Amino acid sequence: MPTPLLAPSLLAGDHANLAASAARVGQLGIPWLHLDIMDGHFVPNLTFGPETLAALRRAGSKLFFDTHLMLSEPHRYVEPFAKAGANLISIHIEPAYDHAGTLARIRALGCQAGIVLNPDTPADAVAHLLDQVDLVLVMTVQPGFGGQAFRPGMLPKLRQLAAWRRERGHTWRLEVDGGIDLANLPDCHAAGADTFVAGTSFFRSPDQAGFAATVARLA
Ligand code: DX5
Ligand code: ZN
């Protein structure tokens, strides 16, 4: 299993000062930042686009940009996000487009590639892509909004994916996203997850350093 990592979600940061929220993550020694990109179509909400990533880079952020595209047509946008400074680009399996081709394109652009499953999507849906990814993201809420309750029903899906990873000798990260906090994070870890997106619980935590230390101690 890869080293456990916390990926604070900027969605829960200060949208009037995203650079400051990103800088806070860097100051705590957390290497990853999760960036939620929504199109008002695949999900009923809007966030920000490639220009925001580019602006965060210009503001000096050296964080690993873990970019979660919640878009109906993600294949149209991977290049602008790669050029804007994304390090990893994750695309959902649910919309119809060339998934394998888009994952290959993400890698050809010099980024790591991830595949994402909504809560109602079974692990089987991505089985044919598991040798072409650097990360598998299991949504533990319906995507679109921060601050929702974690769905414990996703734990068996994590166990299934972790078992395939073991059996097939894969090295991709297994990430969870949605309602993750210090109470359910150990359950996700025990089920095989190693990468933990935390929006509300992290940015509202009175002890962000302690939060990061708890994840580091899972190793
Ligand atoms: C939800 C996004 C999440 C969101 C998580 O659609 O994909 O990354 O920021 O926020 P919390 O941790 O508050 O559930
Ligand atoms: Zn996300």
Side-chain angles (χ1 to χ4, degrees):
M1 184 189 284
T3 319
L5 270 178
L6 179 63
S9 172
L10 198 59
L11 184 64
D14 177 358
H15 284 243
N17 200 346
L18 292 174
S21 296
R24 171 81 187 133
V25 172
Q27 282 153 14
L28 289 164
I30 299 168
W32 276 38
L33 184 70
H34 185 81
L35 297 139
D36 288 301
I37 313 300
M38 305 186 187
D39 66 353
H41 189 260
F42 179 66
V43 291
N45 198 6
L46 296 159
T47 52
F48 40 75
E51 182 49 36
T52 303
L53 275 72
L56 290 168
R57 288 294 185 220
R58 281 198 299 275
S61 182
K62 304 270 191 295
L63 294 168
F64 183 94
F65 284 178
D66 167 25
T67 313
H68 174 192
L69 302 187
M70 283 161 272
L71 309 177
S72 294
E73 299 191 307
H75 51 292
R76 293 179 54 194
Y77 298 96
V78 294
E79 186 161 346
F81 279 102
K83 287 192 171 148
N87 297 99
L88 183 150
I89 299 177
S90 293
I91 55 173
H92 274 258
I93 189 69
E94 293 83 11
Y97 60 96
D98 179 5
H99 303 106
T102 305
L103 292 168
R105 178 84 187 118
I106 292 169
R107 284 179 160 179
L109 287 162
C111 295
Q112 294 182 32
I115 192 79
V116 194
L117 300 89
N118 275 343
D120 294 338
T121 304
D124 287 340
V126 299
H128 62 296
L129 296 170
L130 295 179
D131 56 356
Q132 300 167 58
V133 296
D134 302 290
L135 177 142
V136 176
L137 167 51
V138 171
M139 291 307 302
T140 44
V141 299
Q142 193 63 32
F145 299 92
Q148 304 180 72
F150 171 76
R151 296 191 184 196
M154 297 301 107
L155 293 172
K157 195 192 298 188
L158 290 173
R159 287 187 205 104
Q160 174 68 79
L161 286 160
W164 286 343
R165 175 169 64 179
R166 234 178 5 256
E167 289 159 13
R168 302 178 189 184
H170 289 153
T171 56
W172 33 262
R173 289 189 162 275
L174 184 52
E175 184 174 54
V176 283
D177 181 9
I180 301 298
D181 60 23
L182 289 177
N184 55 46
L185 202 146
D187 296 337
C188 294
H189 182 245
D194 47 65
T195 308
F196 308 94
V197 177
T200 310
S201 64
F202 175 79
F203 278 100
R204 298 231 178 120
S205 170
D207 180 14
Q208 293 175 327
F211 198 120
T214 302
V215 175
R217 272 198 302 273
L218 293 171

